[in-house]
Amino acid sequence: MSDDRERRIDDALSSLVDALIPRRHTDDDDDISDNRHENALDFVKGIIDSQVAPAVISDVNHASDLIKKKLIRNSPSPDKALRFSNLYARLLTQPVLSQKWAILHLLYQLADSNAPERYARASPSPSFTQEAPQSNLEAAPPLVGSSLLNSRTGRVTGDGGAFVDAFSQMGLHKLPDHGGSRWSRGEVNVAFGPLGESGKERSSSVMTKMGLLAQNHPPLNPPEASLLRDLPFTLQGLSSTNLPFASISSLMLPPTLPFPIISLLHTLAEPSLLYRGLSAFAQSVEGGLVGQSLRAALGEELRAYLGLVAALEGEIRCALAMAEVNEPRGGIGKAAVTLKRCVVWTREATMGLRLMSLMVEKSKSKKGGQLISMIHGFSSSHGDPFVGAFAERLLMHVTRPFYDMLRQWIYDGELSDPHFEFFVLEQHSNIDTETNGDGRARGGATSVWEYKYRLDEEMIPSIITKDFAKKVFLIGKSLNFIRYGCGDSAWVEGYSKAASKELRYGDTATLETSIDEAYKATMARLIHLMADKFKLFEHLKALKKYLLLGQGDFIALLMENLSSNLDRPANTLYRHNLTAQLEHAIRGSNAQFDSPDVLRRLDARMLELSHGEIGWDVFTLEYKIDAPVDVIVTPYGSRQYLKVFNFLWRVKRVEFALGSTWRRYMTGARGVLASVADKVGADWKIARCCVAEMIHFVCQLQYYILFEVIESSWDTLQVAMGKPECTLDDLIEEHARYLQAITHKGLLGNARAGGNTSKEEGFLAQLHEILKIMLAYKDAVDGLYSFSVAEFTRRQEATAKIETRTAQGKWGITEQDEEELSSPSSAAMGRGGGRGQGSESLNSTPFSGANNFGIGLGEDQMLPSLRQRLKHLSSDFRARVNILLGDLAYQPDVDMRFLGVVMNFNDVYNPIRRKMHKSGQRDKKSKAGGSSGVSKDSAA
């Protein structure tokens, strides 16, 4: 089989030589023709046996694309291109043909060649044999070293490095291999022998034309050969004899050269000047890690450019060595290298240098993520595939420091960014003493979580999204908090060793998977620590039970135990007495079954004292929160809890006072009060109705705050915190929303005032005034009760005296006794009303005169004064309730409107809508008769 194949190849070559070179000329004999035929056949066999690498890469897809484009370009109809696609598909299915690319390439070359009829029987001219090697060189511009053109991507790959990809072009020919591909002129003449007379005539005619051109071409000064000899130095940014550099940005050209040569030198000067500027930039040491990485990547590209210059220098030396000095223009016209060809060969390199220079200009005043975003903009927003591929290759090097910082942040929780190039910033200020914009002081674990690190959105590179950056920021911050805030560095180190992976640009799937896994692992661990180790949910429940009055039996027992102590002036109270009563309330209620850690954090303390305050005004409960739970229950949140507790404690105090008074009244109604019903019965009926209204108001207010606000908000908080994807930031946000709900809705919208100091216009101020009126009315009713007891005592004494005198046989009553009984002493008043005056006294109310009414007054003045006082307080209470209900009716919140409906379910009140500034004037007038405040508004 092999002999038959060789025989067929020989026959085909012989036929091809016969078609190109005729066997016989008119003046040749048979021996000369046969000898010439044999020499040509040996020459062709030598070319085939030498296995010279083809001038283009053997890519069947590329050859198919070239043919298809040619068919589309030459024919307006797409039928030929469609037919070729079908034939090409059939060709690919033929397993017998192994050189499909060679067939397609031959057909493509034949399509561009001239008709062969004129040369079918003509002998080849000398110009053909001489120009054969040159045509290969002309079609193949020198690239970097021994680089090869990738047929799939159109990039040049090889020893030249990364610049080869940038300076290649689709379908660009490569350099012929010098080891066996170059045939000398003598070898060609030996192979083909002397040609016929017709060939000599054509050669002489061609030489005559070249001679004419050379005679009309003026001599160059300096010659082109000298310019070519200096060109490699110029391309490397080095001065030479004919092309010196005046500065780093200017090149001096010989003024004696003609304009066409000057134009070519201008074109060649551009890469030279660009290289000098880029080389200076690459050798500088300024900038951070990403900037240095960019300099290193540009340095590698410049080294590839120097490889191109080295290859070009080799071609220039070979061309100058083969040039004949006696020829016109020094033989440059026949050489393989000219200035014009150098321009063509450096065109791709110039584009790369121009692009790098543009990147260097835009990189000024940029660093880190901004620098990466700038380079990525060329890759994603530029339409030129060359620019996109070049930017993508640069990003592979430039992003390495960024991904190293990213890996250390998401796996170790440590920020390694000495030049502030990462999108996470560590704030080194004194965060423990600083305050927020709203005046809240920072401190504790809150500072570590919220203020130690900050997300710098300007440094987020465009290769990642903002949501992705926020997730990365949360992962690293959580790991750092677990390590330093929770004291669990052992888990962080183990997690880092087990999960750490190498991250690099372009591997988007691995990066997203790594981030998702790290996010889930860190969030799960952090929530586990907060819930199990630090008992977060147990502390939140304890805050609700004790500071939001959720533990009813404990609060009732505590208030009952403290009532006698808190009635005294505040400066006579001692903290150990308060804590003792607190312990007694804990042991006497279901609070004793809570964990010791929770009970240890509960404490009773007094607020800052002021002149004239009583114990009710300064007492408060405190629940101590320490790190790391104070990340969620912040110091500001603790103050909000204290504010709600003080308000609820005040409402509870009014309820306790009204309830105690109501029980005493109902007990006395069957005894003492029944005996004096003829004198004060109508007054007690009015008083009981008004007290019942006040108790209803207080009960509805407590129901609204405890159930409609606190319980519903608590259920929402539990649902939000129970989500499986919940993070620490979500816990903080949900708890803040929970506090906002109970302070805004529970305090009837006072939080919306934004810390406004003029409280006369808020709902909370109206409630405070109503509660003061209730306590004042309770004291007035206690005065009425004392008067009733005094009247009952006076009547009992008179009855006893009458019975005694009657038994002695005297008149039961005399005129003097009638005068004494008509003017009862203040001592009798004091005996009957001592409890009413001392109990539940409120010397800070605007109606402090109610405590001492009746002192020094006669019977004719005492009872009318009490009646007038009760009537005034009752009417004032109704007026303020009407205003409050009128304001609640127009609130946007449904629950607040529902509170107004519940308080006035039977339409006993007539709600009044008034303007806020008028209410302030009304409040000022109502305060004119007494002192201010029941308790510390600042703490509330």
Side-chain angles (χ1 to χ4, degrees):
M1 290 294 293
S2 61
D3 295 339
D4 182 62
R5 183 173 180 274
E6 292 179 359
R7 182 178 58 79
R8 287 190 288 106
I9 293 174
D10 292 340
D11 293 341
L13 291 177
S14 179
S15 301
L16 182 61
V17 171
D18 287 340
L20 296 176
I21 303 175
R23 285 182 174 271
R24 182 181 298 276
H25 292 282
T26 56
D27 54 351
D28 292 341
D29 54 6
D30 295 338
D31 295 335
I32 296 176
S33 299
D34 293 340
N35 190 18
R36 183 171 59 247
H37 179 81
E38 292 296 333
N39 292 336
L41 187 60
D42 294 338
F43 177 76
V44 174
K45 289 181 179 180
I47 294 177
I48 295 177
D49 295 337
S50 64
Q51 298 181 354
V52 181
V56 293
I57 295 299
S58 57
D59 186 0
V60 62
N61 295 325
H62 179 60
S64 172
D65 292 339
L66 292 177
I67 296 175
K68 190 181 297 182
K69 291 178 181 178
K70 183 176 181 61
L71 292 175
I72 295 174
R73 184 170 59 250
N74 295 338
S75 177
S77 175
D79 296 339
K80 293 184 178 181
L82 182 60
R83 183 183 179 189
F84 170 76
S85 299
N86 296 332
L87 295 176
Y88 173 66
R90 293 171 59 187
L91 176 64
L92 293 178
T93 59
Q94 299 297 324
V96 179
L97 302 177
S98 59
Q99 300 295 331
K100 300 180 179 64
W101 168 83
I103 297 173
L104 295 175
H105 186 69
L106 177 61
L107 294 175
Y108 178 72
Q109 294 295 333
L110 291 176
D112 289 335
S113 63
N114 296 325
E117 284 78 7
R118 291 189 300 164
Y119 308 102
R121 296 301 176 186
S123 61
S125 65
S127 61
F128 167 79
T129 60
Q130 294 173 3
E131 290 296 324
Q134 290 186 7
S135 62
N136 287 336
L137 288 175
E138 185 176 2
L143 296 176
V144 181
S146 58
S147 60
L148 296 178
L149 184 64
N150 189 306
S151 60
R152 295 286 182 183
T153 62
R155 299 177 180 176
V156 180
T157 59
D159 298 336
F163 221 94
V164 180
D165 288 349
F167 301 150
S168 64
Q169 189 180 10
M170 294 292 292
L172 185 63
H173 295 114
K174 65 178 183 177
L175 284 173
D177 191 1
H178 294 292
S181 65
R182 184 176 299 279
W183 293 78
S184 64
R185 185 171 182 177
E187 292 175 342
V188 175
N189 290 334
V190 170
F192 290 94
L195 298 177
E197 198 67 26
S198 60
K200 293 180 181 180
E201 293 176 358
R202 285 194 300 270
S203 176
S204 62
S205 63
V206 172
M207 293 300 296
T208 302
K209 184 181 295 184
M210 293 176 60
L212 291 175
L213 291 175
Q215 291 176 2
N216 296 327
H217 194 284
L220 300 179
N221 183 24
E224 188 173 357
S226 300
L227 296 176
L228 287 173
R229 190 177 294 108
D230 294 342
L231 182 60
F233 299 96
T234 304
L235 293 177
Q236 297 179 62
L238 303 175
S239 296
S240 58
T241 304
N242 299 311
L243 300 172
F245 282 92
S247 64
I248 192 173
S249 60
S250 62
L251 176 66
M252 296 181 63
L253 302 179
T256 58
L257 294 175
F259 286 109
I261 301 299
I262 291 294
S263 176
L264 295 176
L265 293 178
H266 268 291
T267 306
L268 293 172
E270 181 181 3
S272 306
L273 297 175
L274 291 176
Y275 174 79
R276 284 172 67 91
L278 292 172
S279 179
F281 175 79
Q283 294 175 4
S284 62
V285 294
E286 301 175 357
L289 298 179
V290 178
Q292 291 296 327
S293 180
L294 174 62
R295 286 169 172 80
L298 293 182
E300 185 175 349
E301 300 292 337
L302 293 179
R303 285 191 293 272
Y305 167 76
L306 293 180
L308 169 65
V309 175
L312 184 60
E313 182 181 8
E315 293 297 325
I316 291 174
R317 289 183 179 180
C318 293
L320 294 179
M322 296 178 59
E324 298 180 2
V325 183
N326 298 327
E327 294 289 336
R329 298 175 55 192
I332 296 300
K334 298 181 180 180
V337 180
T338 60
L339 288 176
K340 185 175 293 186
R341 289 177 180 175
C342 291
V343 169
V344 175
W345 294 339
T346 58
R347 184 174 300 165
E348 298 289 340
T350 304
M351 292 176 60
L353 294 173
R354 192 182 302 157
L355 178 59
M356 287 189 289
S357 179
L358 180 60
M359 290 183 177
V360 169
E361 287 295 327
K362 288 191 175 183
S363 66
K364 295 179 180 178
S365 70
K366 286 184 174 62
K367 63 178 182 178
Q370 298 174 343
L371 195 58
I372 296 175
S373 299
M374 183 270 295
I375 300 176
H376 185 254
F378 286 95
S379 173
S380 59
S381 303
H382 205 284
D384 192 346
F386 169 79
V387 175
F390 185 79
E392 285 287 327
R393 188 169 59 256
L394 276 185
L395 285 174
M396 294 293 294
H397 299 277
V398 175
T399 55
R400 286 177 183 174
F402 171 80
Y403 279 102
D404 290 340
M405 290 185 282
L406 178 63
R407 183 192 58 78
Q408 195 167 1
W409 175 253
I410 65 174
Y411 291 124
D412 298 330
E414 297 290 346
L415 182 61
S416 178
D417 185 18
H419 301 283
F420 305 101
E421 298 176 294
F422 200 53
F423 57 83
V424 177
L425 290 179
E426 183 176 3
Q427 304 184 102
H428 299 281
S429 58
N430 189 5
I431 57 179
D432 292 332
T433 59
E434 291 183 358
T435 58
N436 295 332
D438 54 0
R440 307 184 220 165
R442 305 175 182 175
T446 307
S447 301
V448 177
W449 177 259
E450 294 188 5
Y451 307 109
K452 184 177 181 181
Y453 296 104
R454 179 174 61 87
L455 182 64
D456 188 3
E457 295 186 357
E458 293 182 356
M459 284 294 174
I460 299 178
S462 58
I463 59 177
I464 61 176
T465 61
K466 287 187 178 181
D467 294 338
F468 189 83
K470 290 179 180 178
K471 183 180 289 189
V472 170
F473 172 70
L474 186 58
I475 292 172
K477 188 170 67 169
S478 301
L479 289 174
N480 188 274
F481 182 74
I482 292 173
R483 182 192 294 270
Y484 298 106
C486 302
D488 196 6
S489 59
W491 181 87
V492 176
E493 294 175 359
Y495 165 77
S496 177
K497 293 179 181 179
S500 181
K501 300 178 182 178
E502 182 182 1
L503 304 177
R504 61 182 182 273
Y505 176 76
D507 196 356
T508 307
T510 303
L511 179 62
E512 292 180 354
T513 303
S514 302
I515 295 299
D516 291 339
E517 293 176 355
Y519 182 80
K520 293 178 181 178
T522 54
M523 293 303 106
R525 180 63 181 179
L526 185 55
I527 298 300
H528 168 75
L529 290 175
M530 298 299 291
D532 296 343
K533 182 178 179 180
F534 300 105
K535 308 296 181 183
L536 169 64
F537 302 109
E538 186 174 340
H539 293 315
L540 293 177
K541 188 175 181 181
L543 286 170
K544 174 179 175 293
K545 290 170 61 177
Y546 299 115
L547 295 190
L548 301 182
L549 309 189
Q551 191 72 29
D553 57 342
F554 165 78
I555 297 299
L557 185 58
L558 178 65
M559 184 165 289
E560 184 177 353
N561 293 337
L562 290 175
S563 59
S564 59
N565 294 325
L566 298 181
D567 286 335
R568 301 199 302 265
N571 54 7
T572 63
L573 298 179
Y574 297 96
R575 187 176 180 183
H576 64 273
N577 293 333
L578 300 179
T579 55
Q581 296 297 332
L582 176 64
E583 291 293 334
H584 180 268
I586 291 175
R587 291 192 300 269
S589 63
N590 288 330
Q592 61 181 319
F593 300 109
D594 283 340
S595 64
D597 181 62
V598 171
L599 299 178
R600 177 180 57 84
R601 297 173 184 272
L602 191 62
D603 190 19
R605 67 183 182 91
M606 294 184 294
L607 301 175
E608 185 179 354
L609 301 179
S610 298
H611 178 70
E613 291 181 334
I614 63 175
W616 292 103
D617 301 332
V618 297
F619 173 79
T620 186
L621 281 183
E622 180 184 21
Y623 190 85
K624 299 178 181 178
I625 297 291
D626 53 13
V629 182
D630 59 353
V631 168
I632 297 175
V633 186
T634 61
Y636 173 77
S638 299
R639 291 194 295 272
Q640 294 297 102
Y641 276 111
L642 179 61
K643 182 177 182 179
V644 177
F645 170 78
N646 287 335
F647 177 71
L648 291 176
W649 181 256
R650 188 173 304 175
V651 175
K652 202 73 177 178
R653 176 221 175 165
V654 173
E655 181 196 24
F656 177 77
L658 292 177
S660 301
T661 303
W662 179 269
R663 288 193 299 270
R664 187 148 51 96
Y665 301 160
M666 292 298 100
T667 303
R670 294 188 295 269
V672 176
L673 300 182
S675 301
V676 294
D678 57 331
K679 190 172 186 178
V680 294
D683 299 325
W684 275 111
K685 184 180 294 185
I686 296 174
R688 281 194 293 267
C689 291
C690 188
V691 170
E693 287 185 25
M694 294 180 180
I695 291 176
H696 170 74
F697 180 88
V698 171
C699 290
Q700 293 301 324
L701 181 61
Q702 283 193 100
Y703 167 79
Y704 166 74
I705 297 175
L706 296 179
F707 293 96
E708 297 294 337
V709 176
I710 296 179
E711 286 296 333
S712 61
S713 301
W714 175 255
D715 291 340
T716 304
L717 178 64
Q718 284 186 313
V719 172
M721 289 186 170
K723 294 180 180 179
E725 67 276 6
C726 185
T727 64
L728 186 59
D729 276 337
D730 294 335
L731 294 180
I732 296 174
E733 183 180 356
E734 292 298 333
H735 183 261
R737 190 179 292 114
Y738 167 70
L739 275 181
Q740 173 68 16
I742 63 177
T743 53
H744 176 72
K745 297 171 63 177
L747 302 181
L748 300 186
N750 185 68
R752 67 179 179 178
N756 188 10
T757 56
S758 59
K759 293 186 176 181
E760 290 80 11
E761 298 183 357
F763 288 113
L764 190 60
Q766 296 184 49
L767 289 176
H768 286 331
E769 294 300 325
I770 292 175
L771 295 178
K772 292 176 186 178
I773 294 174
M774 290 180 181
L775 292 176
Y777 192 85
K778 175 257 180 189
D779 290 338
V781 174
D782 284 343
L784 180 62
Y785 184 80
S786 299
F787 176 83
S788 301
V789 172
E791 178 68 18
F792 173 77
T793 304
R794 187 178 64 83
R795 291 185 180 186
Q796 290 292 332
E797 290 176 354
T799 302
K801 185 180 291 187
I802 291 173
E803 291 178 354
T804 302
R805 288 184 178 182
T806 302
Q808 293 177 356
K810 300 178 181 180
W811 292 100
I813 187 171
T814 63
E815 294 180 357
Q816 184 180 359
D817 294 335
E818 291 179 355
E819 292 178 359
E820 292 179 356
L821 291 175
S822 63
S823 58
S825 64
S826 59
M829 189 71 183
R831 290 194 303 270
R835 181 180 179 186
Q837 296 175 15
S839 176
E840 309 294 339
S841 63
L842 189 64
N843 53 7
S844 61
T845 64
F847 310 100
S848 58
N851 294 329
N852 299 320
F853 58 80
I855 301 299
L857 296 178
E859 180 182 4
D860 296 338
Q861 298 178 357
M862 187 184 308
L863 187 58
S865 176
L866 286 173
R867 289 172 176 172
Q868 183 180 2
R869 188 68 173 168
L870 291 172
K871 183 178 180 181
H872 172 72
L873 292 175
S874 176
S875 61
D876 198 5
F877 170 76
R878 281 178 169 270
R880 290 185 178 273
V881 171
N882 288 333
I883 294 174
L884 178 64
L885 295 179
D887 293 341
L888 289 176
Y890 295 95
Q891 290 303 306
D893 188 81
V894 179
D895 294 332
M896 294 178 67
R897 294 200 303 268
F898 178 73
L899 173 63
V901 173
V902 171
M903 287 182 175
N904 192 23
F905 67 96
N906 56 355
D907 294 333
V908 68
Y909 299 107
N910 297 318
I912 301 175
R913 180 74 186 276
R914 50 87 176 165
K915 295 183 179 180
M916 302 301 291
H917 68 275
K918 292 184 178 179
S919 67
Q921 297 175 359
R922 181 187 297 272
D923 293 340
K924 291 179 181 178
K925 292 180 181 179
S926 65
K927 290 183 179 180
S931 60
S932 61
V934 177
S935 68
K936 282 188 173 300
D937 291 339
S938 61

